[in-house]
Amino acid sequence: MNNRYFYQNPVLSGFYPDPSMCRVGDDYYLAASTFAYFPGVPIFHSRDLVHWEQIGNILDRPSQLPLKNAGVSQGIFAPTLRYHEGTFYMITTNVSSALGNFIVTAKDPAGPWSEPYSLGSEGIDPSLFFDDDGKCYYCGTKPRREGARYFGDNEIYIQELDLDTMKLVGESYPAWHGALRDVEWPEGPHIYKKDGWYYLLISEAGTAHDHAISIARSKSLSEPFEGCKANPIMTHRHLGLAYPIVNVGHPDIVETKNGEWWMILLASRPYGGYYRNLGRETFLVPMAWENGWPIVSPGKGIVETTLEAPDLPLYFTEPVPATEHFDRESLPLHFMYLRNPVTENYSLTDKKGYLALRCAKDNLSSSGNPSYVCQRQRDFNFRFETAMEFSPASERDQAGIAIFQCENSNYQFLAGTDGSTTVLSVIRTWKDETTLLESISLESICRRLTLRLEAHLQDLSFQYSTDGKTYSTIVDHAEGRILCTDATGGFVGNTLGVYATSNGEDSDTFAYFDRITYIGI
């Protein structure tokens, strides 16, 4: 087509881990993990593999996605997205509910998707493969059947799935235990068929710095797979902690109509040292086949920031607006809640053009259902702000903005009252300690405020304005390094949102937000 241009990685910035994609004609669809955020599993559409537009959220009802008391890094793990004979299938694991491994289906990838079919299978990271004879096979990760010798001593196993009953049938076959001897966490398996071979593509060695991609093949799904002698076929662990792209793994591959092969995978971009505040993002790399095995990023063997785009027609997508004015009937698709929202705590109709949040009993450091509407951090440097109207009824009512890594690592910038004036507070939660970094009282009750968070790499600045024009700083140079999985553990990236709490008591007080702005700077 000779329309090549250069694109920038990641193709999805921010917390979009465990990407899976499929092709339907000229169209490509991609899904990613969401853990304890709701709605779950965003789905994107593209025609060039570079520019992706979110068209829905696959799990958009509590019946599909129960998240009661889920830790922020629990909930939904590693979806696989597939298409077969007019139906889309998404299979994943809810590690926080009895659903376990389950499937949902749809005719239209934008939804609605079905209620979940729970499979009762062991382990995590399930995937589906449709063979030439129409049979469907389940592929997953679980501890070795003969007994795990250590945590993460797993097997990749295969079993037939009856699509009529959505039940696993027949014998379960141990396919592979990973490429390296005594490897931890062979996981994230996908099966493909090419030139008479079944290929099993996996990740191994955990999802941190040692993450790696390996592949094996077999002539039969019921026989052991033989690993590629060049394994791992992609990793960045040998490049060191200072390399700008790390933790490479969890891939999925696709062949374009013109015969090119491309791989999506997750990786992280640390900044300010080895700190990955954005979590695990989605990257795109070229792939080729030589002597029956894949070569990832031919000639380079690494994931690069700038690459030549696929030989596909440019696909134009509408950028996500920097500012949301809440003048629509529903929240934008990229907005999320932490766990299942309490419906009566949110409204887009109470006050026209405003998002209303009730000061909920639960707070961000609990495992409950706080009033929190958020989006992903997508940039190293950014400005996040909201304009809000708020009249607290008691000193326990607070509302404002937050940057949230997990229950034990977050910052909150909140307005409240001491009964006679408006009080602004910057609160840091780190590990098991909540600290009031700064608190100031304004000269009087201020019903309307603009609250702003600016990040310059790992330096955070909290600012406010009473007129929407002139800003004052309440806290400067707050430490951003606590807001990453390297400090906290877990699997998620940061989110930024508006938040309202009554700090453990019931309240009928609402805060009204008339805009949210997120800008990379």
Side-chain angles (χ1 to χ4, degrees), residues 7-22 28-34 41-57 79 81 245-246 249-250 252 263-269 277-285 303-305 307 315 317-320 333-334 376-380 493-494 518:
Y7 71 93
Q8 296 291 312
N9 264 322
V11 292
L12 286 177
S13 301
F15 160 48
Y16 291 105
D18 308 323
S20 177
M21 67 177 169
C22 63
Y28 301 86
Y29 299 95
L30 183 152
S33 294
T34 41
V41 189
I43 184 165
F44 297 84
H45 170 251
S46 179
R47 287 193 167 177
D48 63 11
L49 292 172
V50 172
H51 302 95
W52 295 91
E53 180 178 17
Q54 189 172 353
I55 59 172
N57 289 288
L81 184 64
I245 300 173
V246 297
H250 208 105
D252 204 355
M263 174 183 284
I264 55 166
L265 44 75
L266 66 76
S268 298
R269 294 179 293 159
N277 299 49
L278 279 71
R280 298 170 300 159
E281 307 173 279
T282 293
F283 291 69
L284 176 72
V285 291
V303 179
E304 297 179 282
T305 300
L307 299 97
Y315 180 65
T317 59
E318 289 291 330
V320 173
L333 291 172
H334 66 286
R376 296 160 178 84
Q377 178 186 340
R378 303 189 301 273
D379 302 273
F380 297 167
N494 287 337
Y518 174 93

Coordinates of all heavy atoms in Angstrom, one line a residue, residues 7-22 28-34 41-57 79 81 245-246 249-250 252 263-269 277-285 303-305 307 315 317-320 333-334 376-380 493-494 518:
Y7 N 4.9 5.4 13.9 CA 4.0 5.6 15.1 C 4.8 5.5 16.4 O 6.0 5.1 16.4 CB 2.9 4.5 15.1 CG 3.4 3.1 15.4 CD1 3.4 2.6 16.7 CD2 3.9 2.2 14.4 CE1 3.8 1.3 17.0 CE2 4.3 0.9 14.7 CZ 4.3 0.5 16.0 OH 4.7 -0.8 16.3
Q8 N 4.2 5.9 17.4 CA 4.8 6.0 18.7 C 4.2 4.9 19.7 O 3.0 4.8 19.7 CB 4.6 7.4 19.4 CG 5.3 8.5 18.6 CD 6.8 8.4 18.7 OE1 7.4 8.3 19.8 NE2 7.5 8.5 17.6
N9 N 5.1 4.2 20.3 CA 4.6 3.3 21.4 C 4.7 4.0 22.7 O 5.5 4.9 22.9 CB 5.6 2.1 21.5 CG 5.0 0.9 20.8 OD1 3.8 0.6 20.8 ND2 5.9 0.2 20.1
P10 N 3.8 3.7 23.7 CA 2.7 2.7 23.6 C 1.5 3.2 22.7 O 1.3 4.4 22.6 CB 2.3 2.5 25.0 CG 2.6 3.8 25.7 CD 3.8 4.3 25.0
V11 N 0.8 2.2 22.1 CA -0.4 2.6 21.4 C -1.6 2.8 22.3 O -2.5 3.5 21.8 CB -0.7 1.5 20.3 CG1 0.4 1.5 19.2 CG2 -0.9 0.1 20.9
L12 N -1.5 2.3 23.5 CA -2.5 2.7 24.5 C -1.7 3.0 25.8 O -1.1 2.2 26.4 CB -3.5 1.5 24.8 CG -4.5 1.2 23.8 CD1 -5.3 -0.1 24.3 CD2 -5.5 2.4 23.6
S13 N -1.7 4.3 26.1 CA -1.0 4.8 27.2 C -1.8 4.7 28.5 O -3.0 4.9 28.5 CB -0.6 6.3 27.0 OG 0.1 6.5 25.8
G14 N -1.0 4.4 29.6 CA -1.7 4.2 30.9 C -2.0 2.8 31.1 O -1.6 1.9 30.4
F15 N -2.8 2.6 32.1 CA -3.1 1.3 32.7 C -4.1 0.5 31.8 O -5.3 0.4 32.0 CB -3.7 1.6 34.1 CG -4.5 0.5 34.8 CD1 -4.1 -0.8 34.8 CD2 -5.7 0.9 35.4 CE1 -4.9 -1.7 35.5 CE2 -6.5 -0.1 36.0 CZ -6.1 -1.4 36.1
Y16 N -3.5 -0.1 30.8 CA -4.2 -1.1 29.9 C -3.3 -2.3 29.7 O -2.7 -2.6 28.7 CB -4.4 -0.4 28.5 CG -5.4 0.7 28.5 CD1 -5.0 2.0 28.4 CD2 -6.8 0.5 28.7 CE1 -5.9 3.1 28.4 CE2 -7.7 1.5 28.7 CZ -7.2 2.8 28.6 OH -8.1 3.9 28.6
P17 N -3.3 -3.2 30.8 CA -2.4 -4.4 30.8 C -3.1 -5.6 30.1 O -4.3 -5.6 29.8 CB -2.2 -4.6 32.3 CG -3.5 -4.1 32.9 CD -4.0 -3.0 32.1
D18 N -2.3 -6.6 29.9 CA -2.8 -7.9 29.4 C -3.6 -7.8 28.1 O -4.7 -8.3 28.0 CB -3.6 -8.6 30.5 CG -2.9 -8.7 31.8 OD1 -1.7 -8.9 31.8 OD2 -3.6 -8.5 32.9
P19 N -3.1 -7.1 27.1 CA -3.9 -6.9 25.9 C -4.1 -8.2 25.1 O -3.2 -9.0 25.0 CB -3.0 -5.9 25.1 CG -1.6 -6.2 25.5 CD -1.7 -6.5 27.0
S20 N -5.3 -8.3 24.6 CA -5.6 -9.4 23.7 C -6.4 -8.8 22.5 O -7.2 -7.9 22.7 CB -6.5 -10.4 24.4 OG -6.9 -11.4 23.5
M21 N -6.1 -9.3 21.3 CA -6.8 -8.8 20.1 C -7.2 -9.9 19.2 O -6.7 -11.0 19.2 CB -5.9 -7.8 19.4 CG -4.7 -8.3 18.8 SD -3.7 -7.1 17.9 CE -2.2 -8.0 17.5
C22 N -8.1 -9.5 18.3 CA -8.5 -10.4 17.2 C -8.9 -9.6 16.0 O -9.1 -8.4 16.1 CB -9.7 -11.3 17.6 SG -11.2 -10.4 17.9
Y28 N -10.0 -4.6 13.6 CA -9.2 -5.2 14.7 C -9.9 -4.8 16.0 O -10.3 -3.6 16.2 CB -7.8 -4.8 14.7 CG -7.1 -5.2 13.4 CD1 -7.1 -4.4 12.3 CD2 -6.4 -6.4 13.3 CE1 -6.5 -4.8 11.1 CE2 -5.7 -6.8 12.2 CZ -5.8 -6.0 11.1 OH -5.2 -6.3 9.9
Y29 N -9.9 -5.7 17.0 CA -10.5 -5.4 18.3 C -9.6 -5.8 19.4 O -8.9 -6.8 19.3 CB -11.9 -6.1 18.4 CG -12.9 -5.7 17.4 CD1 -13.0 -6.5 16.2 CD2 -13.6 -4.6 17.5 CE1 -13.9 -6.1 15.2 CE2 -14.5 -4.2 16.6 CZ -14.7 -5.0 15.4 OH -15.5 -4.6 14.4
L30 N -9.5 -5.0 20.4 CA -8.6 -5.2 21.5 C -9.3 -5.0 22.9 O -10.1 -4.2 23.0 CB -7.4 -4.2 21.4 CG -6.2 -4.3 22.4 CD1 -5.0 -3.7 21.7 CD2 -6.5 -3.4 23.6
A31 N -8.9 -5.9 23.8 CA -9.4 -5.8 25.2 C -8.3 -5.8 26.2 O -7.2 -6.3 25.9 CB -10.4 -7.0 25.5
A32 N -8.5 -5.3 27.4 CA -7.4 -5.2 28.4 C -8.0 -5.5 29.8 O -9.2 -5.4 30.0 CB -6.7 -3.9 28.4
S33 N -7.1 -5.8 30.7 CA -7.6 -6.1 32.1 C -8.0 -4.8 32.9 O -7.5 -3.7 32.6 CB -6.4 -6.7 32.9 OG -6.1 -8.0 32.4
T34 N -8.8 -5.0 33.9 CA -9.3 -3.8 34.7 C -9.2 -4.1 36.2 O -9.5 -3.2 37.0 CB -10.7 -3.4 34.3 OG1 -11.5 -4.6 34.1 CG2 -10.7 -2.6 33.1
V41 N -13.1 -4.5 31.5 CA -12.6 -4.9 30.2 C -13.0 -4.0 29.1 O -14.0 -4.3 28.3 CB -13.0 -6.4 29.9 CG1 -12.3 -6.9 28.6 CG2 -12.7 -7.3 31.1
P42 N -12.3 -2.9 28.9 CA -12.6 -2.0 27.8 C -12.3 -2.7 26.5 O -11.4 -3.5 26.4 CB -11.7 -0.8 28.0 CG -10.5 -1.4 28.8 CD -11.1 -2.4 29.7
I43 N -13.1 -2.4 25.5 CA -12.9 -2.9 24.2 C -12.7 -1.8 23.2 O -13.4 -0.8 23.2 CB -14.0 -3.9 23.7 CG1 -13.7 -4.5 22.4 CG2 -15.4 -3.2 23.7 CD1 -14.6 -5.7 22.0
F44 N -11.7 -1.9 22.3 CA -11.2 -0.9 21.4 C -11.4 -1.5 19.9 O -11.3 -2.7 19.7 CB -9.8 -0.5 21.6 CG -9.6 0.1 22.9 CD1 -9.3 -0.7 24.1 CD2 -9.5 1.5 23.1 CE1 -9.1 -0.1 25.3 CE2 -9.3 2.1 24.3 CZ -9.1 1.3 25.4
H45 N -11.5 -0.6 19.0 CA -11.6 -0.9 17.6 C -10.5 -0.1 16.8 O -10.2 1.0 17.2 CB -13.0 -0.5 17.0 CG -13.0 -0.6 15.5 ND1 -13.1 0.5 14.7 CD2 -13.0 -1.7 14.7 CE1 -13.1 0.1 13.4 NE2 -13.1 -1.2 13.4
S46 N -9.9 -0.8 15.8 CA -8.9 -0.1 15.0 C -9.0 -0.7 13.6 O -9.5 -1.9 13.4 CB -7.5 -0.2 15.6 OG -6.5 0.4 14.7
R47 N -8.4 0.0 12.6 CA -8.2 -0.6 11.3 C -6.7 -0.6 10.9 O -6.4 -1.0 9.8 CB -9.1 0.0 10.2 CG -10.6 -0.4 10.4 CD -11.4 0.0 9.2 NE -12.7 -0.7 9.2 CZ -13.6 -0.5 8.4 NH1 -13.5 0.4 7.4 NH2 -14.8 -1.1 8.5
D48 N -5.9 0.0 11.7 CA -4.5 0.1 11.4 C -3.6 -0.4 12.5 O -2.3 -0.3 12.4 CB -4.1 1.6 11.0 CG -4.3 2.6 12.1 OD1 -4.5 2.1 13.3 OD2 -4.2 3.8 11.8
L49 N -4.1 -0.9 13.6 CA -3.4 -1.5 14.7 C -2.6 -0.4 15.5 O -2.1 -0.7 16.6 CB -2.4 -2.5 14.3 CG -3.0 -3.8 13.7 CD1 -1.9 -4.7 13.2 CD2 -3.7 -4.6 14.8
V50 N -2.7 0.8 15.1 CA -2.0 1.9 15.8 C -2.9 2.8 16.6 O -2.7 3.1 17.7 CB -1.1 2.7 14.8 CG1 -0.5 4.0 15.5 CG2 0.0 1.9 14.3
H51 N -4.0 3.2 15.9 CA -5.0 4.1 16.4 C -6.2 3.4 16.9 O -6.9 2.7 16.1 CB -5.3 5.2 15.4 CG -4.2 6.0 14.9 ND1 -3.5 5.6 13.7 CD2 -3.5 7.0 15.4 CE1 -2.5 6.5 13.5 NE2 -2.5 7.3 14.5
W52 N -6.5 3.4 18.2 CA -7.5 2.6 18.8 C -8.6 3.5 19.4 O -8.2 4.5 20.1 CB -6.9 1.7 19.9 CG -6.0 0.7 19.3 CD1 -4.7 0.8 19.2 CD2 -6.4 -0.6 18.8 NE1 -4.1 -0.4 18.7 CE2 -5.2 -1.3 18.4 CE3 -7.6 -1.3 18.7 CZ2 -5.1 -2.6 17.9 CZ3 -7.5 -2.6 18.2 CH2 -6.3 -3.2 17.8
E53 N -9.8 3.2 19.2 CA -10.9 3.9 19.7 C -11.8 3.0 20.6 O -12.2 2.0 20.2 CB -11.8 4.5 18.6 CG -13.0 5.3 19.0 CD -13.8 5.9 17.8 OE1 -13.6 5.4 16.7 OE2 -14.6 6.8 18.1
Q54 N -12.0 3.5 21.8 CA -12.8 2.6 22.7 C -14.3 2.7 22.2 O -14.9 3.7 22.0 CB -12.7 3.1 24.1 CG -13.4 2.2 25.1 CD -13.2 2.5 26.6 OE1 -12.4 3.4 26.9 NE2 -13.8 1.8 27.5
I55 N -14.9 1.5 22.1 CA -16.3 1.4 21.6 C -17.2 0.8 22.7 O -18.4 0.8 22.5 CB -16.4 0.5 20.3 CG1 -15.8 -0.9 20.6 CG2 -15.6 1.2 19.2 CD1 -16.1 -1.9 19.5
G56 N -16.6 0.4 23.8 CA -17.5 -0.1 24.9 C -16.7 -0.6 26.0 O -15.5 -0.5 26.1
N57 N -17.4 -1.2 27.0 CA -16.8 -1.9 28.1 C -17.6 -3.2 28.2 O -18.8 -3.3 28.3 CB -17.0 -1.2 29.4 CG -16.1 0.0 29.5 OD1 -14.9 -0.1 29.7 ND2 -16.7 1.2 29.4
P79 N -8.0 -10.9 30.1 CA -9.0 -11.3 29.2 C -8.4 -11.9 27.9 O -7.3 -11.5 27.5 CB -9.8 -10.1 28.9 CG -8.8 -9.0 29.1 CD -7.9 -9.4 30.2
L81 N -9.7 -12.1 23.9 CA -10.8 -11.8 23.0 C -10.7 -12.5 21.7 O -9.6 -12.6 21.1 CB -10.7 -10.3 22.7 CG -11.8 -9.6 21.8 CD1 -13.2 -9.7 22.5 CD2 -11.5 -8.2 21.5
I245 N 12.0 1.2 28.5 CA 10.8 0.3 28.4 C 11.2 -1.1 29.1 O 12.2 -1.7 28.8 CB 10.4 0.0 26.9 CG1 10.1 1.3 26.2 CG2 9.3 -1.0 26.8 CD1 9.9 1.1 24.7
V246 N 10.4 -1.5 30.1 CA 10.7 -2.6 30.9 C 9.5 -3.5 31.0 O 8.4 -3.2 30.6 CB 11.2 -2.2 32.3 CG1 12.5 -1.4 32.2 CG2 10.1 -1.4 33.0
G249 N 6.0 -8.3 28.2 CA 5.4 -9.7 28.1 C 3.9 -9.6 27.8 O 3.4 -8.7 27.3
H250 N 3.3 -10.8 28.1 CA 1.9 -11.0 27.9 C 1.4 -10.6 26.5 O 0.6 -9.6 26.3 CB 1.0 -10.3 29.0 CG -0.2 -11.0 29.2 ND1 -0.5 -11.8 30.3 CD2 -1.4 -11.1 28.5 CE1 -1.7 -12.3 30.3 NE2 -2.2 -11.9 29.2
D252 N -0.2 -11.1 22.4 CA -1.1 -11.7 21.5 C -0.7 -11.3 20.1 O -0.1 -10.2 19.9 CB -2.6 -11.2 21.8 CG -3.6 -12.2 21.3 OD1 -3.3 -13.2 20.7 OD2 -4.8 -12.0 21.7
M263 N 2.4 -8.1 16.8 CA 2.3 -8.6 18.2 C 1.9 -7.3 19.1 O 2.6 -6.3 18.9 CB 3.6 -9.2 18.7 CG 3.5 -9.6 20.2 SD 5.1 -10.2 20.8 CE 5.0 -11.9 20.1
I264 N 0.9 -7.5 19.9 CA 0.7 -6.5 21.0 C 1.2 -7.2 22.3 O 1.2 -8.4 22.4 CB -0.8 -6.1 21.1 CG1 -1.7 -7.3 21.3 CG2 -1.2 -5.1 20.0 CD1 -3.1 -6.9 21.8
L265 N 1.7 -6.4 23.2 CA 2.2 -6.9 24.4 C 2.1 -5.8 25.5 O 1.8 -4.6 25.1 CB 3.6 -7.4 24.3 CG 4.6 -6.6 23.5 CD1 5.1 -5.4 24.2 CD2 5.8 -7.4 23.1
L266 N 2.3 -6.1 26.7 CA 2.4 -5.1 27.7 C 3.8 -4.8 28.1 O 4.7 -5.7 27.9 CB 1.6 -5.5 29.0 CG 2.1 -6.7 29.8 CD1 3.3 -6.4 30.7 CD2 0.9 -7.2 30.7
A267 N 4.0 -3.6 28.5 CA 5.3 -3.2 29.0 C 5.1 -1.9 29.9 O 4.0 -1.4 29.9 CB 6.3 -2.9 27.9
S268 N 6.1 -1.5 30.6 CA 6.0 -0.4 31.5 C 7.1 0.7 31.1 O 8.2 0.3 30.6 CB 6.2 -0.7 32.9 OG 5.1 -1.6 33.3
R269 N 6.8 1.9 31.4 CA 7.8 3.0 31.2 C 8.1 3.6 32.6 O 7.3 4.5 33.0 CB 7.2 4.1 30.3 CG 7.0 3.6 28.8 CD 6.4 4.7 28.0 NE 5.0 5.0 28.4 CZ 4.4 6.2 28.1 NH1 5.1 7.1 27.4 NH2 3.2 6.4 28.5
N277 N 4.6 4.4 37.6 CA 3.3 5.0 38.0 C 2.1 4.7 37.0 O 1.0 4.7 37.4 CB 3.4 6.5 38.3 CG 4.4 6.8 39.3 OD1 5.5 6.3 39.3 ND2 4.0 7.6 40.3
L278 N 2.5 4.6 35.7 CA 1.4 4.4 34.7 C 1.0 2.9 34.6 O 0.1 2.6 33.9 CB 1.9 4.9 33.4 CG 1.8 6.4 33.1 CD1 2.8 7.1 33.9 CD2 2.0 6.7 31.6
G279 N 1.6 2.1 35.4 CA 1.3 0.6 35.3 C 1.8 0.0 34.1 O 2.9 0.4 33.5
R280 N 1.1 -1.0 33.6 CA 1.5 -1.7 32.4 C 0.6 -1.3 31.2 O -0.6 -1.3 31.3 CB 1.4 -3.2 32.7 CG 2.3 -3.7 33.8 CD 2.0 -5.1 34.2 NE 0.6 -5.2 34.7 CZ -0.1 -6.4 34.8 NH1 0.5 -7.5 34.4 NH2 -1.3 -6.4 35.2
E281 N 1.3 -0.9 30.1 CA 0.6 -0.3 29.0 C 0.7 -1.2 27.8 O 1.4 -2.2 27.8 CB 1.3 1.1 28.7 CG 1.4 2.0 29.9 CD 2.2 3.3 29.6 OE1 3.5 3.2 29.7 OE2 1.6 4.3 29.3
T282 N 0.0 -0.8 26.7 CA -0.1 -1.7 25.5 C 0.8 -1.2 24.4 O 0.7 0.0 24.0 CB -1.6 -1.8 25.0 OG1 -2.4 -2.5 26.0 CG2 -1.6 -2.5 23.7
F283 N 1.7 -2.0 24.0 CA 2.7 -1.7 22.9 C 2.4 -2.6 21.7 O 1.9 -3.7 21.8 CB 4.1 -1.9 23.4 CG 4.6 -1.0 24.5 CD1 4.0 -1.0 25.8 CD2 5.5 0.0 24.2 CE1 4.4 -0.1 26.7 CE2 6.0 0.9 25.2 CZ 5.4 0.8 26.4
L284 N 2.9 -2.1 20.5 CA 2.8 -2.9 19.3 C 4.1 -3.0 18.6 O 4.9 -2.1 18.5 CB 1.9 -2.1 18.3 CG 1.7 -2.6 16.9 CD1 0.8 -3.9 16.9 CD2 1.0 -1.6 16.0
V285 N 4.4 -4.3 18.2 CA 5.7 -4.6 17.6 C 5.5 -5.5 16.4 O 4.6 -6.3 16.4 CB 6.7 -5.2 18.6 CG1 7.2 -4.2 19.6 CG2 6.2 -6.5 19.2
V303 N 11.5 -3.9 22.0 CA 10.4 -3.0 21.8 C 10.9 -1.6 21.7 O 11.6 -1.1 22.6 CB 9.4 -3.2 22.9 CG1 8.2 -2.2 22.7 CG2 8.9 -4.6 23.1
E304 N 10.6 -1.0 20.6 CA 11.1 0.4 20.4 C 9.9 1.4 20.6 O 8.8 1.1 20.5 CB 11.7 0.6 19.0 CG 12.9 -0.3 18.7 CD 13.4 -0.2 17.3 OE1 12.8 -0.8 16.4 OE2 14.4 0.6 17.2
T305 N 10.3 2.7 20.8 CA 9.4 3.7 21.0 C 8.8 4.2 19.7 O 7.6 4.5 19.5 CB 10.0 4.9 21.7 OG1 10.4 4.5 23.0 CG2 9.0 6.0 21.9
L307 N 8.4 3.3 15.5 CA 8.5 2.2 14.6 C 7.7 2.6 13.3 O 6.8 3.4 13.4 CB 8.0 0.9 15.1 CG 8.7 0.3 16.3 CD1 7.9 0.6 17.6 CD2 8.8 -1.2 16.2
Y315 N -6.2 4.8 10.1 CA -7.5 4.8 10.7 C -7.6 6.1 11.6 O -6.8 6.2 12.5 CB -7.7 3.6 11.5 CG -9.0 3.4 12.3 CD1 -10.2 3.3 11.6 CD2 -9.1 3.4 13.7 CE1 -11.4 3.2 12.2 CE2 -10.3 3.3 14.3 CZ -11.5 3.2 13.6 OH -12.7 3.1 14.2
T317 N -9.2 8.3 14.4 CA -10.1 8.2 15.6 C -10.2 9.6 16.3 O -9.3 10.4 16.2 CB -9.4 7.2 16.6 OG1 -8.1 7.7 17.0 CG2 -9.3 5.8 16.1
E318 N -11.3 9.7 17.0 CA -11.5 11.0 17.7 C -10.7 10.9 19.0 O -10.8 9.9 19.8 CB -13.0 11.2 18.0 CG -13.8 11.5 16.8 CD -13.5 12.9 16.3 OE1 -13.2 13.8 17.1 OE2 -13.7 13.1 15.1
P319 N -9.9 11.9 19.3 CA -9.1 11.9 20.6 C -10.1 12.0 21.8 O -11.2 12.6 21.7 CB -8.2 13.1 20.5 CG -8.9 14.0 19.5 CD -9.6 13.1 18.5
V320 N -9.7 11.5 22.9 CA -10.4 11.6 24.1 C -10.4 13.1 24.5 O -9.3 13.7 24.6 CB -9.9 10.8 25.3 CG1 -10.6 11.1 26.6 CG2 -10.0 9.3 24.9
L333 N -16.8 6.5 28.1 CA -16.5 5.1 28.2 C -15.2 4.9 29.0 O -15.0 3.8 29.6 CB -16.3 4.5 26.8 CG -17.6 4.4 26.0 CD1 -17.3 3.9 24.6 CD2 -18.6 3.4 26.7
H334 N -14.3 5.9 29.0 CA -13.0 5.7 29.6 C -13.0 6.0 31.1 O -12.0 5.8 31.8 CB -11.9 6.5 29.0 CG -12.0 8.0 29.1 ND1 -12.9 8.7 28.4 CD2 -11.4 8.9 29.8 CE1 -12.8 9.9 28.6 NE2 -11.9 10.1 29.5
R376 N -7.6 7.0 33.8 CA -6.2 6.5 34.0 C -5.2 7.7 33.8 O -5.4 8.5 33.0 CB -5.9 5.4 32.9 CG -6.7 4.2 33.1 CD -6.7 3.4 31.8 NE -7.5 2.1 31.9 CZ -8.8 2.0 31.8 NH1 -9.5 3.1 31.5 NH2 -9.4 0.8 31.9
Q377 N -4.1 7.6 34.6 CA -3.0 8.5 34.3 C -2.3 8.0 33.1 O -2.0 6.8 32.9 CB -2.0 8.5 35.5 CG -0.8 9.3 35.2 CD 0.3 9.2 36.3 OE1 0.0 8.8 37.4 NE2 1.5 9.5 36.0
R378 N -2.1 8.9 32.1 CA -1.5 8.5 30.8 C -0.2 9.1 30.5 O 0.4 8.8 29.5 CB -2.5 8.8 29.7 CG -3.9 8.2 29.9 CD -4.8 8.4 28.6 NE -5.0 9.8 28.3 CZ -5.9 10.6 28.8 NH1 -6.8 10.1 29.7 NH2 -6.1 11.8 28.4
D379 N 0.3 10.1 31.3 CA 1.5 10.8 31.0 C 2.4 10.9 32.2 O 1.9 10.9 33.4 CB 1.1 12.2 30.6 CG 0.1 12.2 29.3 OD1 0.7 12.2 28.2 OD2 -1.1 12.2 29.6
F380 N 3.7 11.1 32.0 CA 4.6 11.4 33.1 C 4.3 12.8 33.7 O 4.4 12.9 34.9 CB 6.1 11.5 32.6 CG 6.6 10.2 32.0 CD1 7.8 10.2 31.2 CD2 5.9 9.0 32.1 CE1 8.3 9.0 30.7 CE2 6.4 7.8 31.6 CZ 7.6 7.8 30.9
G493 N -2.1 0.5 37.5 CA -1.5 1.9 37.3 C -2.4 2.9 38.1 O -3.4 2.5 38.7
N494 N -1.9 4.1 38.1 CA -2.6 5.1 38.8 C -3.9 5.6 38.1 O -4.0 5.6 36.8 CB -1.8 6.4 39.0 CG -0.7 6.2 40.0 OD1 -0.8 5.3 40.9 ND2 0.4 6.9 39.9
Y518 N -8.2 16.7 32.2 CA -6.9 16.0 32.2 C -6.1 16.3 31.0 O -6.5 16.1 29.9 CB -7.1 14.4 32.3 CG -5.8 13.7 32.2 CD1 -5.1 13.3 33.4 CD2 -5.2 13.4 31.0 CE1 -3.9 12.6 33.3 CE2 -3.9 12.8 30.9 CZ -3.3 12.4 32.1 OH -2.1 11.7 32.0

